[in-house]
Amino acid sequence: MRPFRKVPARRLASAATIALLLGTTPLLGGTPAASAAPPSRCSDDPTARLGTVPSPETVLGFPLGAGQERVVTNDEVRTYLGAVDSASNRVVTGVMTTSVLGQPLPYAVVSNERHVRPAALRKIADDVRDLRDPRRTSARTAARTAKDSPAIVWVTANVHGGEKSGADAALKTLYELAAGLSCAVAERNDNLVTIIVPTQNPDGRDATRRQNEFGFDLNRDWFARTQQETDGKLELLRRYPPQVFIDAHEMGGRQYFFPPNADPIHHEIAGEAVDWINRIGEANKAGFGFNGACDDTVTTECYFNYDTYDMFFMGYGDTVPTTGFGAAGMTYEKGSASTVADRVQQQFHTQWSTLGWAAANKREVLDGYFDIWTGALAQGRAGTLEPNEVVQPTNEVQFPVPDVKIRSYFLLPDRQLADVRQLVERLRRMDVEVYEVQKATRVPTARVFGGRSATNVTVPKGAYWIPMDQPQKHWIQAVMGEDPYVPFPYFYDVSSWSNPLLMGVNTIYTADAVRPKAQLVRELSGGRTGAAWPWGSYTYPLDSAAAAELTFTLLGRGVPVLRDLTTGTVAIPAATVSRTVEGLAESLGVTLTPGGRPTGTRLDLPDVGLFQGTGISTTSGSHGEARYVLGKRWGLDLTPVTTTDINDNTEAFTGRTVLLVPDGSNPTGGLTAAGQANLRDWITQGHTYVGLRNEGTRLARAAGLTSTTEKTKPADYLVIGSHLRVDVDTDSPVALGRPAEDFEFNNSDPILTPSSTGTNVLSYPTGDTFWANGYTVGAETLKGTAAVVDEPTGAGRAVLFAFNPLFRAYNESGLHLVANALLYPPGTPDARRAPGIDAARASAAAVPAPADLGGGWRPITVEVAAADLPRTRAIVERFTSTAQTSAKDGSAYVVIPNPQGLQADEHPFARDLVRALREARVPLRSVVA
């Protein structure tokens, strides 16, 4: 990112800003205007309002903010939006999408009455979108837009369903903008178009649950857009691209966070946006009220900055608006232990202050907005990446962005083509220009994903070219980069999300100024390439998550599907390929090639039982991910299977052909000895057990289904959501369609010793080909260990994943492996594995299960100098007595168990602990939360 500008204090005290901040005083009641007609000029009375616009108290029966005793329901949100829309000519409303359970997600657009007229609103949005492309917008036109057009500001809330106060405050903000007659209101409406989305997660709000109905954290879903709530929101963002974006949350305690942020900040976030964010922080300080800044004596109803909430992972409601849309994207967090009235009023104060700053500085912001995209174009042409920087005054860059130039990415079409096309579509839906190569071209020097280099690479026809000299250069690098280059070892989430690595697609990048003959992609490719004979077939490679989705959908519709168990190619009878089937293939990017008579092994639709027994959370984690991927996307009927079902051998268990055990916290799943025997017998009959991560692998081990054991992690071991190369046993049906070398995502997962009684389908290399990206320490411990094993028993098998292949539904290479496991062809009993437990498996079962330190996520790990361990331990003991300590190579490691798998912002004391260590001036070498 370009250097952040140091803003003089006097700049923050401009006359315009002071005038606007007068409007941040609490608006607790007002005097209705004498006339409903729009006034000719604004009022000096900050409480003057139109009497025709209904107040929250009139519609809801209670005030919002001061005096509020309960939060608003979803029905009340929708009712109030409709009431204001009907009464105010400053407001128009709409529905951006629906939730999993079918609830609408409404939004309101509010500005002055001239701006919200349909033609005017379209022009404003068009003009702002034009600022994002300096190739078609001259500097003179951009300056005119900055002078004449309002900026677009978004106020969103309640992405986590149980964090409700931001939504209520957004309704209060809506009322003030719709009804207010003061000059502070007029300034905001004349200079801004404000998009208000009170709740991004209505199903979670109803359930007072962080996640949506599928158990997804919607504030981790932004780049992948797997959930319909996220997808609809991003389409509305493309329609009304923001310059300022508020994402209102809640956290523990009684304090309030707004930026400046904690480090790290992703290097591709533009310096202009960070400058705006920090200056908005100053405006929020001035307008916060209550007890002001937190300090040693003021600890409640106060604000803090530079702590906990970073801007690194590209799945947040601040990083994506900032990197993908050039906005000042900001997370606001209010402590949930405060009263409803205080929570809502403080959220309103920061929303109102932010709008005031944006209105006072809208021309500068729109000028800077144009500069962001102009700078991105110049950087893309030169192939330069932004440098790493830190914003916290006490931090220093520990890991600079390497001296590497990138002018182009190429997605190669030799394998996983449907997933390649899905990635192309994901990029296009964030306004990235992608081209299909029409003629083979030579790239003199290239870097191959996985840390390798190559020369004179021939990029074939049909590859996809992503040039960096385009306005979305920052976003391209942020989601495509082989490594995100963290500047500072503090991790709130994962340390890698490289989309080509997640999808397992063959990708290169280059500093060479190549210009292949290529055509802009305007729609997703796929479908039939020609006509097959009526007696013939259409074939496609089942080598991708997208092709797996097509396969399960076809099976669910009764289409005969045959698979070549050597090549992985699927054949379906030509007569079954209707326009509907072809349309489905097109939507998934799967090419259907005409062929001869269909041949191969017939695939059967699996009858899947989803374990929800002891230790499994049914509202989050991989249980919800399974319901979404297998149930919604693949269309499989999932039968709940409980611990009792297996122990008692009920039909709910025995009637299934596949049992999927998600990640969880219990090493046995609560199975008795009889239940474990029932499970072994069921597998022996030809059925498949699929176990994920901790509970999925440990339950299998306890039941005598595997000879793998877990290696102890070294004291300094840190693998923070990173990608690693794996060797693939391509002879295994679980790996059918995968390359000999692949990549998998590891988030401090259990380390499995190789199986001596089955096939090690994925293994971490032992030699020089071992490679990891993101942030890892001691990852060499993984060398030679297993990531996926296939353990036969009788005619069936247990397929065990050390990692979570369903993680956030964006690990497409993992999804494909799960599909292969579900479609595992029936066969004769494996001669190596007769029914019963052999010595190696019995020995593994006798090893005690490791302590569950991280649940479905990770433990909290703090690294300090070994000499600082005594005072670190003393501080930690103020918060917990369960911490474990160890030392290695001059560092001490404090590991705090997190058996519920809580994210850092959910954790009851993680934030306060880190702050206490910093306040005690304990130098933190790394923090993993």
Side-chain angles (χ1 to χ4, degrees):
M1 68 192 88
R2 276 163 282 173
F4 310 139
R5 287 180 287 161
K6 304 301 182 184
V7 184
R10 63 179 180 274
R11 185 176 194 174
L12 297 166
S14 67
T17 302
I18 291 172
L20 283 166
L21 287 176
L22 290 176
T24 66
T25 55
L27 302 171
L28 305 181
T31 304
S35 169
S40 57
R41 61 185 180 84
C42 63
S43 170
D44 292 330
D45 180 1
T47 67
R49 299 183 181 89
L50 288 165
T52 53
V53 178
S55 68
E57 195 163 8
T58 300
V59 177
L60 305 174
F62 55 87
L64 296 177
Q68 184 177 354
E69 295 184 357
R70 70 165 176 86
V71 293
V72 177
T73 67
N74 278 319
D75 285 341
E76 290 170 334
V77 168
R78 294 188 284 266
T79 297
Y80 189 66
L81 285 178
V84 174
D85 184 8
S86 298
S88 175
N89 60 1
R90 304 177 189 173
V91 176
V92 293
T93 60
V95 174
M96 65 183 187
T97 187
T98 56
S99 70
V100 173
L101 294 181
Q103 295 197 71
L105 274 69
Y107 66 92
V109 181
V110 57
S111 189
N112 68 34
E113 59 273 16
R114 300 183 305 280
H115 293 156
V116 298
R117 293 168 185 161
L121 196 55
R122 282 195 299 272
K123 185 179 188 310
I124 291 166
D126 289 345
D127 288 346
V128 170
R129 278 196 299 272
D130 285 346
L131 293 178
R132 300 179 71 199
D133 194 347
R135 298 169 303 181
R136 69 180 187 221
T137 305
S138 68
R140 177 177 294 180
T141 299
R144 186 168 58 249
T145 297
K147 174 179 176 291
D148 298 337
S149 178
I152 299 175
V153 176
W154 278 57
V155 177
T156 71
N158 206 196
V159 71
H160 293 146
E163 301 171 9
K164 301 181 180 183
S165 60
D168 297 29
L171 297 181
K172 184 175 177 68
T173 296
L174 173 64
Y175 172 62
E176 299 302 341
L177 293 174
L181 296 173
S182 70
C183 294
V185 170
E187 194 86 22
R188 286 161 172 79
N189 284 336
D190 289 345
N191 288 285
L192 307 174
V193 169
T194 304
I195 314 294
I196 294 178
V197 182
T199 177
Q200 303 170 71
N201 183 6
D203 296 345
R205 186 179 183 92
D206 278 346
T208 312
R209 180 185 61 233
R210 178 184 179 93
Q211 298 84 3
N212 77 342
E213 184 62 23
F214 280 123
F216 277 66
D217 186 332
L218 297 178
N219 202 38
R220 305 295 185 271
D221 188 48
W222 278 75
F223 80 74
R225 305 172 65 158
T226 67
Q227 301 304 290
Q228 60 199 65
E229 296 94 337
T230 311
D231 191 62
K233 174 174 57 187
L234 277 159
E235 285 305 294
L236 192 65
L237 274 159
R238 293 176 71 196
R239 182 176 168 189
Y240 299 113
Q243 288 71 68
V244 174
F245 188 98
I246 296 171
D247 193 21
H249 291 251
E250 289 183 7
M251 60 182 178
R254 295 178 59 191
Q255 299 180 355
Y256 198 107
F257 167 84
F258 50 78
N261 292 92
D263 291 316
I265 292 182
H266 195 280
H267 64 94
E268 286 296 330
I269 290 176
E272 291 89 342
V274 177
D275 175 49
W276 302 337
I277 289 168
N278 293 345
R279 289 163 60 194
I280 289 169
E282 295 299 317
N284 283 336
K285 292 176 184 179
F288 184 78
F290 286 81
N291 292 333
C294 302
D295 57 27
D296 291 342
T297 59
V298 178
T299 59
T300 62
E301 312 313 333
C302 53
Y303 66 80
F304 66 93
N305 323 110
Y306 291 121
D307 201 350
T308 306
Y309 301 101
D310 68 298
M311 288 188 71
F312 187 62
F313 170 56
M314 286 295 143
Y316 296 149
D318 51 13
T319 53
V320 174
T322 304
T323 317
F325 293 92
M330 296 168 294
T331 294
Y332 292 173
E333 298 268 358
K334 171 56 195 163
S336 58
S338 297
T339 65
V340 171
D342 286 349
R343 298 202 315 264
V344 174
Q345 194 67 35
Q346 289 172 30
Q347 296 272 29
F348 170 71
H349 283 185
T350 54
Q351 291 176 17
W352 197 250
S353 297
T354 299
L355 293 174
W357 182 92
N361 295 278
K362 79 94 183 174
R363 186 169 181 176
E364 178 196 342
V365 166
L366 287 172
D367 280 332
Y369 194 68
F370 182 69
D371 291 343
I372 288 174
W373 309 105
T374 303
L377 271 172
Q379 292 169 27
R381 291 190 187 106
T384 57
L385 305 184
E386 295 270 31
N388 268 337
E389 295 189 5
V390 293
V391 296
Q392 288 177 261
T394 58
N395 289 343
E396 296 179 356
V397 173
Q398 295 190 25
F399 312 111
V401 173
D403 183 17
V404 59
K405 291 186 180 297
I406 302 176
R407 285 190 169 92
S408 296
Y409 284 94
F410 288 95
L411 302 174
L412 304 183
D414 54 327
R415 56 181 175 82
Q416 283 77 50
L417 180 57
D419 282 348
V420 168
R421 289 170 172 165
Q422 291 297 315
L423 178 51
V424 168
E425 195 66 5
R426 180 182 291 172
L427 292 167
R428 289 182 62 246
R429 296 185 71 219
M430 281 294 287
D431 304 308
V432 174
E433 296 163 4
V434 183
Y435 297 81
E436 185 172 352
V437 175
Q438 302 297 301
K439 181 180 178 181
T441 191
R442 185 178 68 88
V443 176
T445 58
R447 292 175 181 259
V448 183
F449 269 52
R452 293 171 174 160
S453 300
T455 57
N456 293 320
V457 177
T458 298
V459 175
K461 178 182 178 181
Y464 291 94
W465 172 45
I466 306 160
M468 293 288 271
D469 60 339
Q470 58 176 297
Q472 279 289 51
K473 175 261 179 181
H474 295 311
W475 181 249
I476 294 168
Q477 183 59 29
V479 297
M480 289 286 294
E482 185 181 26
D483 197 291
Y485 305 126
V486 63
F488 185 83
Y490 170 92
F491 295 96
Y492 187 79
D493 201 80
V494 299
S495 70
S496 174
W497 53 89
S498 170
N499 279 211
L501 293 175
L502 284 168
M503 289 192 163
V505 300
N506 202 1
T507 306
I508 65 171
Y509 56 100
T510 182
D512 298 332
V514 294
R515 305 294 298 184
K517 182 180 179 182
Q519 188 172 51
L520 182 67
V521 176
R522 299 189 183 276
E523 61 182 13
L524 191 63
S525 298
R528 287 183 282 200
T529 60
W533 291 103
W535 45 262
S537 66
Y538 287 96
T539 66
Y540 61 88
L542 207 177
D543 66 347
S544 62
E549 184 170 339
L550 175 63
T551 301
F552 286 119
T553 304
L554 294 174
L555 289 170
R557 295 180 178 183
V559 175
V561 178
L562 295 91
R563 190 180 194 188
D564 185 318
L565 298 184
T566 301
T567 66
T569 300
V570 160
I572 54 178
T576 66
V577 180
S578 62
R579 289 184 178 178
T580 300
V581 169
E582 182 175 20
L584 177 64
E586 288 176 350
S587 71
L588 292 168
V590 178
T591 296
L592 303 177
T593 304
R597 296 188 184 278
T599 61
T601 300
R602 185 181 178 106
L603 299 180
D604 294 320
L605 188 70
D607 186 343
V608 181
L610 180 59
F611 186 65
Q612 57 182 48
T614 304
I616 302 295
S617 168
T618 59
T619 59
S620 65
S622 56
H623 186 280
E625 291 156 355
R627 289 191 290 116
Y628 169 70
V629 174
L630 279 66
K632 181 176 175 63
R633 280 176 47 178
W634 294 354
L636 300 177
D637 291 329
L638 304 178
T639 300
V641 176
T642 66
T643 300
T644 300
D645 289 327
I646 300 176
N647 286 340
D648 294 348
N649 233 20
T650 70
E651 197 277 335
F653 164 55
T654 60
R656 312 282 74 78
T657 61
V658 175
L659 177 67
L660 189 145
V661 178
D663 190 15
S665 59
N666 191 287
T668 67
L671 298 190
T672 62
Q676 292 172 342
N678 291 338
L679 181 59
R680 291 192 298 272
D681 291 344
W682 174 82
I683 293 173
T684 299
Q685 297 166 27
H687 299 138
T688 299
Y689 172 102
V690 179
L692 310 186
R693 206 168 180 258
N694 291 316
E695 182 157 344
T697 58
R698 292 168 182 170
L699 189 156
R701 184 178 301 110
L705 298 172
T706 179
S707 56
T708 64
T709 58
E710 287 189 40
K711 288 182 66 174
T712 301
K713 296 172 182 175
D716 61 344
Y717 179 82
L718 293 173
V719 177
I720 312 303
S722 305
H723 283 96
L724 294 100
R725 179 179 284 114
V726 288
D727 292 329
V728 181
D729 186 335
T730 55
D731 291 333
S732 168
V734 177
L736 193 56
R738 300 310 304 176
E741 289 184 334
D742 212 344
F743 300 96
E744 281 307 335
F745 183 80
N746 188 311
N747 190 29
S748 195
D749 302 320
I751 304 174
L752 301 186
T753 61
S755 172
S756 61
T757 57
T759 301
N760 296 295
V761 181
L762 299 187
S763 303
Y764 296 103
T766 57
D768 293 340
T769 60
F770 183 85
W771 178 85
N773 78 342
Y775 184 78
T776 64
V777 177
E780 295 79 11
T781 304
L782 290 166
K783 287 185 174 182
T785 66
V788 179
V789 298
D790 175 7
E791 294 275 14
T793 295
R797 60 210 358 93
V799 180
L800 308 180
F801 292 81
F803 59 98
N804 176 11
L806 304 178
F807 184 69
R808 294 176 179 168
Y810 62 41
N811 182 8
E812 281 80 3
S813 61
L815 301 188
H816 178 220
L817 293 168
V818 172
N820 279 342
L822 299 185
L823 295 169
Y824 207 114
T828 56
D830 191 313
R832 295 175 299 166
R833 294 275 72 81
I837 307 177
D838 66 13
R841 291 178 174 177
S843 176
V847 176
D852 184 32
L853 297 179
W857 186 238
R858 300 186 297 244
I860 299 164
T861 304
V862 179
E863 178 189 2
V864 297
D868 289 321
L869 179 58
R871 59 190 183 123
T872 300
R873 184 187 288 118
I875 294 170
V876 170
E877 287 174 352
R878 288 161 30 195
F879 296 89
T880 179
S881 60
T882 63
Q884 302 176 10
T885 60
S886 57
K888 183 176 180 180
D889 298 333
S891 283
Y893 299 87
V894 180
V895 177
I896 299 168
N898 183 22
Q900 292 178 284
L902 298 177
Q903 301 277 319
D905 56 340
E906 296 177 277
H907 197 275
F909 62 80
R911 174 177 56 83
D912 293 335
L913 169 61
V914 172
R915 186 189 296 181
L917 291 167
R918 284 177 172 150
E919 288 174 349
R921 301 188 181 279
V922 176
L924 302 178
R925 293 186 171 180
S926 67
V927 177
V928 177

